[in-house]
Amino acid sequence: EKDDFTVEKGLEAALAKGRGEVLAIPMFVSTSNHSAVEIPEKLGIDMATREGVRVGTRIRYSTEIGLEPGMVDLLEAEYRDLAQ
């Protein structure tokens, strides 16, 4: 069930795929304690490198999606489309 989803369960599911690398993308519009401290700790991420290793799998941690270049433009375009 959706409400039962946790970072730990997501990591477990990703590791179960047996791939050599996982990219974790925090789906937040800005940086918070949750995205900058709590989640990286649960994933085993070293924030100096934004990487970690679990069970032989490299885990990379991107910046919050809201901080990505172009996101503001995308949201403004969506707003304009909805406002018409």
Side-chain angles (χ1 to χ4, degrees):
E1 190 169 306
K2 180 181 163 188
D3 293 337
D4 292 334
F5 186 81
T6 64
V7 171
E8 293 87 353
K9 286 181 181 179
L11 177 60
E12 182 180 312
L15 294 175
K17 300 271 185 194
R19 296 193 168 88
E21 185 171 288
V22 170
L23 173 61
I25 303 171
M27 302 298 283
F28 298 95
V29 296
S30 64
T31 303
S32 67
N33 188 62
H34 188 59
S35 66
V37 177
E38 294 172 1
I39 293 173
E41 284 178 358
K42 291 177 180 186
L43 295 175
I45 299 295
D46 173 358
M47 287 303 282
T49 61
R50 300 188 78 88
E51 294 185 5
V53 176
R54 288 279 186 94
V55 194
T57 300
R58 177 182 178 205
I59 303 169
R60 295 185 308 136
Y61 191 67
S62 76
T63 58
E64 292 79 352
I65 197 162
L67 301 178
E68 291 299 314
M71 185 55 70
V72 170
D73 296 334
L74 175 67
L75 294 173
E76 285 177 348
E78 286 295 315
Y79 174 76
R80 279 192 299 275
D81 287 348
L82 290 173
Q84 293 180 1

